[in-house]
Amino acid sequence: MSDRMRRLLPGLAVAAVTLALPAFLDDSALSVYIFLGLAAMVTVGVSLLMGYAGQVSLGQGAFYAVGGYTAGILAVHGGPPVAGLLAAPVVAAAFAVVVGVPLLRLRGHHLAFATLATQLILLSLAGQLEFTGGDIGLQGIPRFGAGSFELGDASGYAYLTWAGVALVMLVTRNVIASRPGRALRALATSETAAASSGVPVGRYKLVVFALSAAFAGLAGGIYAFYVGYVAPGSFPVLLSIEYIVMAVVGGLGTIWGAVVGAAAITLLVQALNVLGTAPGMPSYAPSVLSYAVYALLLIVVVLFLPHGLLPAVTRRLSSRRAREADARP
């Protein structure tokens, strides 16, 4: 088997399973499957931003919210749902450019706290403005559709969500493989060295920040149409922390690692919610369990799998194949 075919087979297998799963899942499992895909979409952007460009953001939930509100407001006021979904990533990217011009002058934890503050300010404004529905939220968002066609069940949203994941992964792969992608890796290593090599550091930082925001905005737009309702409470700060944990657990700087991390954390959170809402458990159990598990996971990954789950598994498989090749006569 050629090396090219060997590299394609895992992706083809995952694509086949992704397309087949909605036919076998009930509504409850389909809902988890959709939210998993939405999380993967945002986490790919986080992995690109942090793993390749070396920029830390604790505010991806803000861009997720911008996409959700953009799609919802346009659809509620009579706009075509397709236009709302297309506008969601564009408006999220534009918002990222506006806030990114001053914020990206910061570095490290200063940038992280600034992006976190951006989300808090945005949610506060959304709770006060009339056209966003205030604290009550934006209700009555119509289902996604085009013309007379309308997505009527969860399986349709599952296919839409995972089509979005495929698009995001394809765009990210092409960016990474391009000349700007190599410049981003240089930027993550040393901004000074990258600048001395002719890399327009400020411009590249802003572009990758906007691109990761566009991914989150697309996910937010799909979320708005699927749930039919958005409010400030739909986008808590914990959501942004989840995306960071997903990217770190799966493997920063890897496309498939973001999907693996999103799947692992989403399924784990689902299991913790089931455990936390079991009879006899206190009302605060789900949130306490979530925070405790995030902390424990980060400690375990940093100590034992510093590069994340997927790189660790890939390295082990490569070592095994190398040993088998050496053992052949």
Side-chain angles (χ1 to χ4, degrees):
M1 185 182 298
S2 66
D3 290 340
R4 180 179 177 81
M5 183 58 66
R6 190 180 291 112
R7 288 194 299 267
L8 285 175
L9 276 178
L12 293 174
V14 171
V17 172
T18 301
L19 292 173
L21 269 178
F24 298 97
L25 300 177
D26 58 22
D27 287 343
S28 177
L30 266 176
S31 179
V32 175
Y33 189 56
I34 292 169
F35 284 116
L36 193 162
L38 295 176
M41 218 179 299
V42 184
T43 308
V44 169
V46 173
S47 186
L48 175 66
L49 181 65
M50 294 181 61
Y52 286 97
Q55 306 301 309
V56 182
S57 172
L58 290 177
Q60 293 303 105
F63 307 123
Y64 190 56
V66 169
Y69 272 108
T70 298
I73 290 171
L74 288 177
V76 165
H77 289 87
V82 173
L85 186 58
L86 292 176
V90 175
V91 174
F95 177 70
V97 170
V98 171
V99 300
V101 170
L103 292 189
L104 291 176
R105 297 176 182 273
L106 304 173
R107 298 182 183 180
H109 64 278
H110 295 98
L111 175 60
F113 288 135
T115 54
L116 179 62
T118 299
Q119 181 173 352
L120 294 174
I121 294 170
L122 180 70
L123 294 179
S124 178
L125 288 174
Q128 300 296 323
L129 298 175
E130 184 178 348
F131 71 91
T132 61
D135 287 328
I136 297 175
L138 196 64
Q139 305 179 49
I141 300 174
R143 289 187 171 274
F144 181 78
S148 60
F149 172 76
E150 185 180 88
L151 293 180
D153 57 6
S155 62
Y157 284 97
Y159 289 122
L160 176 64
T161 298
W162 283 93
V165 174
L167 175 62
V168 163
M169 293 176 71
L170 180 63
V171 171
T172 303
R173 181 183 178 278
N174 288 336
V175 168
I176 292 169
S178 66
R179 183 175 179 180
R182 293 191 293 273
L184 285 177
R185 288 193 287 274
L187 177 63
T189 304
S190 171
E191 290 189 13
T192 304
S196 64
S197 301
V199 176
V201 172
R203 188 192 313 163
Y204 275 29
K205 286 168 63 175
L206 189 60
V207 168
V208 75
F209 189 62
L211 183 60
S212 69
F215 294 164
L218 177 61
I222 296 174
Y223 170 85
F225 287 116
Y226 173 59
V227 177
Y229 167 80
V230 291
S234 305
F235 312 100
V237 171
L238 180 59
L239 200 60
S240 293
I241 298 173
E242 280 187 12
Y243 298 141
I244 299 293
V245 175
M246 289 173 181
V248 172
V249 169
L252 277 176
T254 62
I255 301 175
W256 283 103
V259 180
V260 170
I265 298 300
T266 300
L267 295 177
L268 182 60
V269 168
Q270 183 67 18
L272 290 173
N273 285 336
V274 172
L275 177 63
T277 55
M281 297 294 285
S283 59
Y284 54 80
S287 59
V288 170
L289 284 173
S290 295
Y291 280 113
V293 169
Y294 290 156
L296 182 61
L297 268 177
L298 284 175
I299 291 171
V300 170
V301 169
V302 169
L303 288 178
F304 302 105
L305 300 170
H307 299 290
L309 287 174
L310 187 64
V313 172
T314 303
R315 241 186 241 104
R316 179 164 295 185
L317 291 176
S318 298
S319 299
R320 182 178 176 182
R321 282 196 295 266
R323 287 195 301 269
E324 290 175 351
D326 292 340
R328 290 172 190 161

